Amino acid sequence: MNTRKPVAAALAIVGYIVMLVPILFVVATAFTSGSTLRFPPEGLSFQWFDAALSYAPFTGALLTSLQLAVASTFLALAVGVPATLAIYRGALPGKGLVEGLFLSPLIIPELVVGLALYQQLIITFRVDNWPVLLLGHTALLLPYAVRVTGAALAGSDVSLEEAARGLGASPLRTFFTITLPILRPGIFSAALLGFITSFNNVPLSLLLQSRESRTLPITMLDYVQQSYDPMIAATSTLILAATVVIAVIAERTVGFAKIFGGINR
Amino acid sequence: MTRRGTFALLLLPGLAFLTFGFLAPAMGILFAAPGTDASEIFIRLGEMLTDPYDLRIIGRTVGLGLIVTAVCLALGFPIAYILARSTSRWGGVLLALAIFPLLLSNVVRTFGWLVILGSNGALGQLLVHFGITETPPQMLYTPFAIVMGLTQLFLPLAIIACYSAVSQVDAGLDDAARGLGASRGRTFWDVVVPLSMPGVVVAATLVFAGSVTAYTTPYLLGGSRQRLLSTELYSYSSVTVDWASASATAIVMTILVVLVSTVAARIGRKGATA
């Protein structure tokens, strides 16, 4: 860090401490041999990892979270990618309006979307929790799918597709040989981002949960409320390790900057 | 079928999803909460904007949001500036470290503060150890805890938004200002900051909107004493089952976020054309 800007450097160090040190404390606490969140930890052991991995509510919730994240990511892409094509290649009237509509779930607070789905679908129309959770998560991921794959499409040259069509390729052939390869990095980024967003989501899962469909973050929040032991730290550390793996894959394949550049546009 | 027709068909599944999974239910909050008349919601909304208890919650939510926004800009902009101007290979590592927390669950990130700020936590022990206080002070379940938790959560967003803005400011301008005799501080405040303003506005909007709607952090770090709009919304809908109040809270929260985003977008556009 540049030492010739002492104030900026000092603020930057404080910023990194606030962002990262709490995560380090979670990891340190996970390896304690004691039974409280006391710091410094009393000794070294893996007992809380054993406890977390054999605690049925957590393993069950992990399965729910994974199923929900995979299913909602798949649905959001299945519905979102065709929509992206229409928005960026269709030359349809009202393009801006349609795009705005697809991005609108980003503007409304997630808790509000959760409340809306809970009231209208679960209470009023008595729909089961699981389909509503899937619907809510998919709606939440749609903006990401459209924006991130749209960024890949917007950065490409339309004339490639026109040339293929002009040379006699069918629309389907043009799609599979030209458009899809252009879209591929965008689809990959959107899938990664969608999976993580759904897996980590609290507000929607909180309001739409039932005993049979409770995700891991919600189960962890419940657990912290009842007991205050290092098992949550161990579970968190395992999630952290998995997230690091995903981050490395993201960085190696498409690059962080590309993925996040797509959202903040 | 015409080309346009095909493209319009491609939109249909997405539009159906948005209509049934988002737009129609969202409208229902206003007009069709279960067993509740629309008028009850609007009466409750009116009460909320006059009742001291509700106003205190709205005030606390907005106040904490503003503090977190200010802190995130004060810490995030310098980080973005250093990263954008860095030529060393550590710049990339530091940028990745700033973005990585965005991928990590809010529950995991917030839980760290329980370990640090709790009664047997690290910070309390440290204060006692150095003789600053005799017993660890109450830090958990205070506004301070919420500000720390939310700052940790939203600082990466502030950094990314500021970073892309600062990167677009030509480093040659810094050199020119310095060459013409401006001090380091003056170059920063008179050249870099004004030119990065659109990014700062985006950062402020993202952080503020995130802070006033966050649930996990106030729930874990605020406890029952530091109630915010988000924790109230949950307890109205799932604990007391008071639909009129839940809807009214949701409306206040939505208006707050939409209002701030719209104003910020205006400012951003003006900044871009000025």
Side-chain angles (χ1 to χ4, degrees):
Chain A
M1 216 167 272
N2 196 333
T3 48
R4 279 152 61 197
K5 301 182 190 86
V7 180
L11 288 170
I13 290 169
V14 173
Y16 273 99
I17 290 176
V18 173
M19 278 191 293
L20 301 174
V21 166
I23 301 174
L24 297 180
F25 274 92
V26 172
V27 176
T29 314
F31 291 94
T32 183
S33 58
S35 57
T36 58
L37 294 176
R38 177 179 291 279
F39 204 88
E42 287 154 70
L44 186 71
S45 102
F46 287 92
Q47 58 167 326
W48 295 110
F49 289 95
D50 285 341
L53 290 171
S54 53
Y55 183 61
F58 279 1
T59 47
L62 172 66
L63 193 66
T64 305
S65 283
L66 290 175
Q67 286 169 340
L68 183 59
V70 169
S72 58
T73 303
F74 182 79
L75 258 180
L77 285 171
V79 170
V81 172
T84 312
L85 275 175
I87 292 171
Y88 291 95
R89 287 288 192 263
L92 296 169
K95 178 196 158 191
L97 189 73
V98 175
E99 193 184 9
L101 201 60
F102 273 89
L103 299 182
S104 59
L106 278 183
I107 305 164
I108 308 299
E110 285 174 37
L111 267 178
V112 175
V113 179
L115 175 69
L117 291 170
Y118 180 49
Q119 280 187 346
Q120 303 303 315
L121 298 182
I122 295 182
I123 302 288
T124 305
F125 288 103
R126 304 191 171 284
V127 184
D128 270 352
N129 293 72
W130 171 257
V132 181
L133 261 176
L134 183 59
L135 185 65
H137 276 238
T138 306
L140 177 71
L141 302 188
L142 260 180
Y144 294 92
V146 169
R147 203 165 246 202
V148 178
T149 51
L153 213 51
S156 72
D157 193 349
V158 195
S159 57
L160 280 176
E161 282 144 310
E162 283 162 359
R165 297 276 287 134
L167 291 168
S170 69
L172 271 184
R173 179 135 187 231
T174 310
F175 175 77
F176 281 107
T177 52
I178 310 282
T179 317
L180 194 59
I182 294 173
L183 279 173
R184 202 172 287 138
I187 292 178
F188 183 76
S189 303
L192 212 65
L193 206 60
F195 179 85
I196 289 223
T197 306
S198 163
F199 187 85
N200 290 337
N201 181 275
V202 168
L204 285 181
S205 308
L206 179 77
L207 285 162
L208 304 176
Q209 64 170 318
S210 69
R211 205 176 307 133
E212 296 75 35
S213 58
R214 189 167 292 163
T215 63
L216 187 57
I218 304 303
T219 314
M220 288 168 73
L221 281 182
D222 278 356
Y223 187 86
V224 179
Q225 225 38 20
Q226 298 155 14
S227 51
Y228 205 59
D229 66 36
M231 194 163 91
I232 292 284
T235 313
S236 297
T237 303
L238 294 172
I239 295 176
L240 172 70
T243 310
V244 170
V245 171
I246 291 179
V248 170
I249 295 174
E251 180 63 20
R252 286 284 153 85
T253 47
V254 272
F256 268 157
K258 272 228 172 105
I259 297 182
F260 288 97
I263 319 171
N264 267 333
R265 228 162 12 115
Chain B
M1 195 187 295
T2 62
R3 213 173 117 81
R4 268 199 176 170
T6 318
F7 276 121
L9 269 184
L10 291 179
L11 278 177
L12 278 184
L15 288 177
F17 250 92
L18 283 173
T19 308
F20 294 110
F22 174 66
L23 293 171
M27 284 289 130
I29 280 190
L30 275 178
F31 303 111
T36 312
D37 206 53
S39 62
E40 287 175 60
I41 297 173
F42 287 103
I43 290 169
R44 187 67 188 88
L45 192 61
E47 274 174 23
M48 214 169 254
L49 299 174
T50 47
D51 181 79
Y53 174 81
D54 293 315
L55 278 179
R56 197 155 45 225
I57 287 171
I58 297 174
R60 185 185 289 134
T61 306
V62 173
L64 284 176
L66 290 174
I67 294 173
V68 172
T69 307
V71 174
C72 280
L73 289 181
L75 301 176
F77 194 87
I79 293 179
Y81 179 62
I82 291 173
L83 292 180
R85 290 286 183 264
S86 160
T87 45
S88 91
R89 63 196 177 87
W90 288 103
V93 176
L94 285 173
L95 182 62
L97 275 180
I99 296 177
F100 171 73
L102 278 182
L103 300 177
L104 187 60
S105 157
N106 287 359
V107 178
V108 173
R109 287 193 277 164
T110 305
F111 183 71
W113 292 105
L114 291 178
V115 181
I116 294 177
L117 301 175
S119 46
N120 287 318
L123 191 56
Q125 306 276 345
L126 208 67
L127 291 176
V128 172
H129 182 81
F130 285 107
I132 298 170
T133 54
E134 265 176 34
T135 51
Q138 174 71 39
M139 288 181 285
L140 217 50
Y141 314 128
T142 63
F144 168 74
I146 301 178
V147 169
M148 293 310 279
L150 291 176
T151 302
Q152 179 203 18
L153 233 47
F154 296 118
L155 189 50
L157 285 182
I159 295 173
I160 295 175
C162 292
Y163 176 80
S164 60
V166 178
S167 315
Q168 280 161 17
V169 178
D170 190 346
L173 285 176
D174 298 24
D175 297 339
R178 296 276 292 137
L180 290 169
S183 68
R184 227 173 269 288
R186 181 124 191 250
T187 306
F188 181 78
W189 288 109
D190 288 355
V191 178
V192 182
V193 173
L195 287 172
S196 331
M197 230 1 129
V200 174
V201 173
V202 171
T205 317
L206 290 173
V207 174
F208 183 81
S211 298
V212 297
T213 59
Y215 175 82
T216 310
T217 307
Y219 173 75
L220 282 178
L221 304 179
S224 53
R225 264 177 285 168
Q226 305 296 330
R227 294 186 156 277
L228 297 182
L229 281 175
S230 58
T231 46
E232 287 292 278
L233 192 155
Y234 177 71
S235 88
Y236 284 136
S237 71
S238 299
V239 183
T240 55
V241 196
D242 172 356
W243 294 121
S245 298
S247 283
T249 311
I251 293 167
V252 170
M253 202 190 241
T254 308
I255 289 176
L256 205 56
V257 169
V258 171
L259 200 71
V260 169
S261 312
T262 316
V263 170
R266 272 284 148 77
I267 296 174
R269 216 169 298 139
K270 221 179 247 167
T273 51

